[in-house]
Structure formats: C-alpha cells, structure tokens
Amino acid sequence: LGLPGLPQLYASSAAQGISQLYDGLNSEAYFEGAAETVVRVPDAEAFTEGPAVARDGSVYFTNIPVSRIYRWNPKTQELTVFREDSGSANGLFITPKGDLLVCEQARGRVTRTTLENGRSEVVADQYQGKPIEPPNDVIVDRRGRIYFSSRPTSTVLSRGAVNAVYRVDPDGEVSRLLAEPDVHMPNGVALSPDEKTLFLVEAHPDELHNRQLRAYPLSEEGTLGDLSVIVDFYPGRSGDGMCVDREGNLYVAAGLHARRGTSETLDTRPGVHVFSPSGRLLGFAETPVDTVSNCTFGGPDRKTLYITCGPYLLSVRTKISGLG
C-alpha cells in the first residue's frame, strides 16, 4: 500500500473520490427541502463550527477566528455570546447530564462547563505528562467515556505531541486510541446507535494524505479494532464534522464551492452528505457558501439538522430523527 495509512487509490491520477455518486440520489427520503439560514454571526471574520443542542433546545456553536461561543435560542430567535475568549473553541458536545464539552484549540485542552452556573473544569490537557495537540471534535458514550480527536491547526503551533484520538474514562484516565502515522489529521468523531462502532473523519488537505470516513469496531472496554475505510473523498475535500440518525446513517459536512489553495479538488460537492453505515451515499443537501464544517440534530422531535457553514448557522428538516 505504500505509505502507512494511504490506500492504493492515491497512486492513481484518475481518482475521483465521490464525484460520480451524486446522480440518482433519493435525497427527499432524508431531507425536507433545502437548507435555510437560521442566523448569521455579526463578526467580520467567521468560520462557524461545533453545533451542539442543549436540553432546552438552545444551539451552542463556535466562531473560531474570534474565539467566541454563541448561543441561539430558537424560541426567542435571539443570538447571544455565551463565552468570549473561548480558546479558539472548535467542537462542542452536550453530555447526557446536560454539560457542555468544549474543544479549546488554543489552550490544548477539553473542558466541561456546567450550563446552569457556567463553571468549567479541565477534562484533558495532557497524555502521559505531555501536552496534547489542539482538540478538534468530541463525543461521549452512554458510559460517560469521552472520545476526542487532536491535531494541529494553522493558528496553533505544534506542542510536540502527535495527531491522535483519545479516550477519557469517567475516572479521568486518558488513553490514546490512535496516533500518527496511522492517522494523518483526525477530525470529526461519532458513534453508531449501538455504540459498537466509532466513526472518524480523516481530513488532511495535503496531497497523498488521508481524506476518509473510517469505521472502527469499538469494544465494551472502549478499545478499537481494525479500521475499515468506508468512504474515500480523495482528491476532493474530505468530511469535517458529522452526526448520526436513529437508523445509523451518518450526516457528514464535506466539500467546497471553490478551491482554497490546497491540493483539494471540487470533486466533493459542498453540503451535508448522508452515508449508510457501510459508506453508501444516500442523500445530499447543498450548503450556500464555503466552508461547511459540522452538523447536529435538534428540535423537539430531533428532526431539525443544524449546520455550521461559513458565517451562518443553517437548518434543514430531516425525515429521520437524530440520536438524542
């Protein structure tokens, strides 16, 4: 296979990623209409990320360049700043207890905030005594174990650690599940409904690096089995964040409207892609501007898909409810 983690596909100049899979999709079976704007952030610089829906229906999301976490109240239609100086927060996640997990890239740590009182504590900021790379995305399983991806960003210098995926147990112990060269740039993470599979996006923009949606068997102890590459986006832009519906389908934010100075092509269309657990493209909802980054389910029936995209928080109704 050549370089570790690189499928043979990359050796072929004819690689087209998923560009030939869009024709004939039955997107109406998954989406009710097109994505619509919920709100636009007022900042001059904007790259929204990390949508997460709290128990009261509020949507928390980040604007990385200005280091803010926003809160959107769907009942009052009001956008407020939840946190200034967020540490260039990226991915967010609401735990089963209702707390907010935050991937603070600039500080190299994952924190937990109690929404009722705003108090925060550090969940993980090192592994075996060494700092971790900036956390990117985070999820929690039903046993309270936290899984997060960790990778350098263009604005944060390497701390000397490695690109990796970690697990944090309820007692605070941090384990490293994956590390380079087996992963090149880990990004979005998600769990199957039965929590027997961990899904991971590899999203490296450089030539001959992984741009994949991967599946790993997940044991009851929280360890990973052998990987399966279920989608290969190369040479187009890979996925970014993702979420899962009750039937186990993955909703993956991926693609570009225009080239952005990397080796990524436009073979991946910009929007939310619905993939079956085995990687078959089932549906697609286009997003209006660059760059679509992440999505999550919300609404009383969990059939409102919130999407972060450029300066916008978008939404689209879905036919299948998301995991609660």
Side-chain angles (χ1 to χ4, degrees):
L1 294 180
L3 295 175
L6 292 175
Q8 193 171 5
L9 170 64
Y10 295 163
S12 171
S13 61
Q16 295 184 357
I18 64 171
S19 62
Q20 298 180 347
L21 304 181
Y22 294 95
D23 293 339
L25 291 178
N26 184 20
S27 298
E28 294 78 11
Y30 301 92
F31 298 106
E32 295 183 1
E36 299 180 348
T37 299
V38 174
V39 68
R40 176 174 181 151
V41 296
D43 310 307
E45 290 185 90
F47 191 106
T48 56
E49 248 286 10
V53 178
R55 290 175 174 176
D56 66 358
S58 297
V59 185
Y60 293 82
F61 65 102
T62 62
N63 186 9
I64 297 173
V66 299
S67 199
R68 283 190 181 128
I69 299 176
Y70 280 102
R71 177 179 181 266
W72 168 255
N73 186 330
K75 297 175 183 177
T76 64
Q77 302 287 290
E78 183 182 14
L79 180 69
T80 56
V81 175
F82 172 74
R83 179 175 296 164
E84 297 276 12
D85 189 23
S86 70
S88 298
N90 191 328
L92 307 176
F93 191 87
I94 301 292
T95 71
K97 294 182 179 180
D99 297 332
L100 179 69
L101 294 179
V102 182
C103 292
E104 298 185 12
Q105 295 182 122
R107 300 184 179 109
R109 66 188 190 182
V110 176
T111 58
R112 180 191 292 111
T113 296
T114 303
L115 292 179
E116 286 77 7
N117 57 30
R119 294 177 183 171
S120 294
E121 62 178 349
V122 176
V123 171
D125 62 357
Q126 57 181 306
Y127 172 70
Q128 294 185 344
K130 296 181 180 180
I132 59 174
E133 292 289 348
N136 184 278
D137 199 20
V138 60
I139 52 171
V140 181
D141 68 16
R142 286 188 286 268
R143 302 186 184 200
R145 295 179 297 207
I146 298 168
Y147 303 83
F148 69 93
S149 57
S150 172
R151 42 169 276 197
T153 69
S154 59
T155 57
V156 180
L157 296 177
S158 171
R159 294 169 169 81
V162 296
N163 295 344
V165 176
Y166 297 93
R167 186 191 73 237
V168 185
D169 293 332
D171 63 2
E173 182 179 358
V174 180
S175 300
R176 193 161 68 194
L177 303 180
L178 297 167
E180 57 185 330
D182 294 328
V183 289
H184 294 167
M185 190 170 281
N187 200 313
V189 287
L191 294 172
S192 60
D194 62 6
E195 298 190 348
K196 293 183 177 180
T197 303
L198 182 139
F199 296 98
L200 173 70
V201 170
E202 278 266 74
H204 206 297
D206 291 350
E207 189 175 6
L208 298 182
H209 285 75
N210 295 334
R211 299 176 197 160
Q212 303 165 340
L213 176 56
R214 295 176 159 201
Y216 294 87
L218 183 64
S219 73
E220 291 186 2
E221 293 74 31
T223 59
L224 301 182
D226 294 335
L227 81 92
S228 297
V229 176
I230 61 174
V231 180
D232 202 319
F233 294 93
Y234 198 91
R237 180 188 174 223
S238 186
D240 195 326
M242 58 183 165
C243 57
V244 181
D245 71 20
R246 291 190 178 276
E247 295 183 6
N249 302 309
L250 295 109
Y251 294 64
V252 183
L256 292 169
H257 286 274
R259 300 288 291 268
R260 57 179 182 177
T262 68
S263 68
E264 299 159 307
T265 69
L266 304 184
D267 291 288
T268 307
R269 296 182 185 177
V272 176
H273 300 68
V274 183
F275 292 104
S276 72
S278 63
R280 185 165 70 93
L281 183 60
L282 303 172
F284 173 72
E286 186 173 5
T287 47
V289 298
D290 284 334
T291 303
V292 58
S293 62
N294 214 329
C295 54
T296 193
F297 284 98
D301 57 2
R302 309 295 295 182
K303 289 186 177 181
T304 298
L305 188 72
Y306 289 103
I307 307 161
T308 45
C309 179
Y312 298 107
L313 177 68
L314 309 172
S315 71
V316 62
R317 292 286 293 170
T318 62
K319 297 291 184 68
I320 304 170
S321 60
L323 293 179

